[in-house]
């Protein structure tokens, strides 16, 4: 199958591998440690593990845009803030 | 509290949808992500650009202006269509021979394809030959949507209100007729005024359908393309160039696939965020 039209690059492939691996990880976690029923976090939302992953990724996308718009490259700061945001979401939200 | 089941067979029923979504949404989205970090001159030749296009789009005044116009357009049509739709639904009969007549009349604009709506209004609003254009000019108001930005905005908004208020009407009406008569009888016994009935019975009962109406109208108007493109072509100047029109100009007009990819993704995450907020609001009070 010729996939040249999709114009793959290693960084974008890594991004999607990361996203799909994260989704798979949620499945494995649920299988290993059941109990992924919704819980109420500090934002007053009932979230499952999948919801928290979605919020982490969506939030990270906005952190990326915000960092790039205000600070520009390099993106280490973005990575740190996005990691902190994701940890916060999984821990508290 | 959600209950968990051990039956995993349902996954197989979901599989066809997953495959379909993969083909019509996921693979194109992945391709857009790939485009957004590269430069191309055609012939499937791509050159690494990194996050440069995102920086360019984020700092581009053209993008800010298109986003501003888009938000203003969506805000205005929501502010008109939702109250107007509810008001019309409230005046519609709850029973009798006029119900089907009203429903069919309301459904008519929704059945017309976008490009036809654009063409209709294009001619209807022309100052020389169009009924609307001539009528407005006959009233002594100088109106020409092909030359005046304000007139173009007025026409685009009027067209959208004409095309889509019916959707809000039908949804609100569905919410209204689902209210049992007992509520109205109780209100009558209490001597409730029309406003109190609306505020405490009809509005709360319509909350769900109105949230759906706002969500649908937000998403639809936020990615509106065909109608304004056919009506004004984004003009005069850039005055009605909304996000999707600008996106198509960049992607297909200028063949700048990289910046267009970056712009699409920014557009996408904004839509995703707003949809998530609405979805959360909609399902928050659901009994678990």
């Amino acid at each position: 199958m010729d996939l040249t039209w999709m114009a793959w690059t290693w960084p974008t492939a890594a991004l999607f591998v990361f996203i799909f691996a994260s989704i798979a990880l949620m499945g494995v976690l649920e299988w290993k440690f059941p109990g992924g029923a919704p819980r109420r976090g500090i934002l007053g939302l009932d979230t499952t593990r999948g919801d928290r992953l979605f919020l982490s990724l969506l939030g990270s996308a906005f952190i990326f845009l915000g960092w790039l718009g205000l600070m520009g490259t390099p993106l280490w700061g973005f990575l740190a803030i996005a990691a902190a945001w994701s940890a916060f979401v999984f821990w508290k939200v | 509290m959600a209950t968990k089941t051990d039956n995993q067979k349902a996954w197989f029923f979901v599989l066809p949808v997953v495959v379909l979504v993969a083909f019509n949404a996921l693979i194109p989205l992945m391709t857009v992500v790939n485009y957004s970090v590269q430069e191309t001159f055609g012939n499937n030749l791509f050159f690494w650009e990194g996050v440069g296009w995102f920086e360019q789009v984020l700092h581009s005044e053209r993008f800010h202006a298109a986003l501003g116009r888009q938000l203003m357009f969506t805000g205005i049509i929501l502010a008109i269509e939702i109250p107007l739709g509810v008001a019309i639904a409230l005046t519609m009969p709850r029973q009798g021979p006029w119900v089907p007549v009203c429903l069919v009349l309301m459904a008519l604009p929704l059945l017309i394809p976008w490009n036809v709506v654009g063409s209709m209004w294009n001619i209807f609003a022309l100052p020389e030959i169009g009924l609307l254009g001539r009528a407005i000019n006959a009233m002594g108001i100088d109106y020409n949507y092909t030359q005046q930005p304000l007139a173009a905005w007025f026409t685009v908004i009027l067209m959208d209100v004409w095309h889509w208020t019916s959707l809000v009407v039908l949804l609100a009406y569905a919410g209204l007729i689902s209210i049992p008569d007992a509520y109205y009888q109780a209100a009558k016994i209490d001597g409730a005024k029309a406003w109190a009935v609306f505020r405490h019975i009809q509005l709360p009962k319509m909350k769900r359908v109105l949230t759906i109406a706002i969500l649908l109208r937000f998403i639809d108007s936020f990615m509106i393309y065909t109608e304004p493109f056919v009506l004004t072509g984004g003009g005069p100047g850039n005055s009605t160039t909304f996000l999707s029109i600008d996106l198509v100009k960049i992607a297909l007009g200028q063949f700048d696939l990289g910046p267009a990819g970056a712009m699409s993704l920014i557009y996408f995450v904004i839509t995703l965020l707003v949809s998530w907020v609405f979805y959360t609001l909609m399902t928050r009070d659901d009994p678990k």
Side-chain angles (χ1 to χ4, degrees):
Chain A
M1 196 158 54
D2 183 16
L3 284 178
T4 45
W5 65 273
M6 282 185 81
W8 280 104
T9 66
W10 285 110
T12 50
L15 172 74
F16 282 110
V17 167
F18 170 75
I19 292 173
F20 286 123
S22 304
I23 295 171
L25 179 68
M26 296 300 114
V28 172
L29 277 179
E30 185 60 35
W31 172 63
K32 203 87 175 149
F33 310 101
R39 66 147 200 234
R40 177 143 304 188
I42 54 164
L43 296 181
L45 302 172
D46 295 326
T47 54
T48 62
R49 286 184 182 128
D51 293 331
R52 294 194 280 275
L53 175 66
F54 173 75
L55 276 180
S56 307
L57 292 175
L58 185 61
S60 301
F62 278 97
I63 295 167
F64 167 71
L65 294 177
W67 180 272
L68 202 58
L70 298 173
M71 313 291 286
T73 47
L75 294 168
W76 299 114
F78 147 69
L79 274 181
I81 299 172
W85 161 252
S86 305
F88 168 76
V89 168
F90 271 89
W91 180 40
K92 282 287 185 187
V93 174
Chain B
M1 185 76 188
T3 49
K4 289 169 69 65
T5 62
D6 292 327
N7 187 349
Q8 304 288 345
K9 286 194 191 102
W11 289 107
F12 291 102
F13 295 107
V14 181
L15 207 60
V17 176
V18 172
V19 173
L20 194 70
V21 170
F23 270 96
N24 72 13
L26 209 54
I27 290 174
L29 182 67
M30 285 172 157
T31 312
V32 171
V33 171
N34 292 339
Y35 282 4
S36 71
V37 292
Q38 297 178 86
E39 167 73 296
T40 182
F41 305 103
N43 278 339
N44 267 349
L45 281 175
F46 292 90
F47 304 92
W48 176 252
E49 175 68 31
V51 292
W53 297 134
F54 287 93
E55 265 185 301
Q56 184 187 312
V57 172
L58 285 171
H59 291 126
S60 140
E61 278 180 21
R62 177 175 165 177
F63 175 72
H64 295 166
L67 183 63
R69 282 191 289 269
Q70 187 64 68
L71 290 171
M72 194 158 91
F73 174 75
T74 299
I76 291 174
I77 65 110
L78 282 180
I80 297 174
E81 286 175 17
I82 302 295
L84 184 64
V86 172
I88 295 174
L90 284 172
T91 60
M92 274 167 64
R94 278 166 59 90
Q95 49 205 350
W98 288 103
V99 173
V101 177
C102 288
L103 289 180
V104 169
L105 276 178
M106 280 298 139
L108 273 180
L110 299 175
L111 301 175
I112 303 173
W114 287 264
N115 52 347
V116 178
V117 172
S119 313
M120 272 167 53
W121 280 80
N122 187 320
I123 298 164
F124 182 48
L126 274 179
E128 304 85 24
I129 56 165
L131 189 62
L132 176 74
R134 282 198 74 141
I136 294 178
N137 278 298
M139 285 189 287
I141 302 166
D142 181 27
Y143 166 87
N144 186 347
Y145 77 89
T146 59
Q147 284 166 15
Q148 302 152 339
L150 199 64
W153 267 81
F154 171 76
T155 319
V156 171
I157 287 167
L158 197 65
M159 173 179 66
D160 199 82
V161 168
W162 176 82
H163 195 185
W164 288 109
T165 304
S166 303
L167 181 76
V168 183
V169 173
L170 293 177
L171 285 169
Y173 185 72
L176 277 177
I177 56 168
S178 70
I179 304 173
D181 276 337
Y183 283 83
Y184 292 110
Q185 287 157 5
K188 212 167 193 175
I189 292 168
D190 289 344
K193 297 261 178 352
W195 170 253
V197 171
F198 174 70
R199 175 69 190 79
H200 297 290
I201 297 175
Q202 291 168 323
L203 200 57
K205 285 282 170 190
M206 278 194 293
K207 201 180 122 199
R208 294 292 299 272
V209 284
L210 282 185
T211 322
I212 295 171
I214 295 173
L215 180 61
L216 286 176
R217 285 313 301 132
F218 168 80
I219 296 177
D220 244 9
S221 64
F222 203 69
M223 55 189 199
I224 191 165
Y225 176 77
T226 315
E227 294 149 294
F229 179 76
V230 175
L231 181 69
T232 62
N238 278 331
S239 59
T240 54
T241 301
F242 301 121
L243 269 185
S244 56
I245 296 182
D246 207 25
L247 187 59
V248 172
K249 275 186 188 169
I250 296 173
L252 300 178
Q254 300 164 214
F255 203 66
D256 281 335
L257 294 184
M263 193 174 152
S264 310
L265 291 177
I266 296 172
Y267 197 173
F268 173 66
V269 291
I270 295 173
T271 314
L272 202 56
L273 177 72
V274 179
S275 306
W276 177 79
V277 169
F278 275 116
Y279 177 77
T280 307
L281 288 176
M282 230 157 74
T283 53
R284 200 171 53 170
D285 302 327
D286 280 0
K288 288 283 185 290

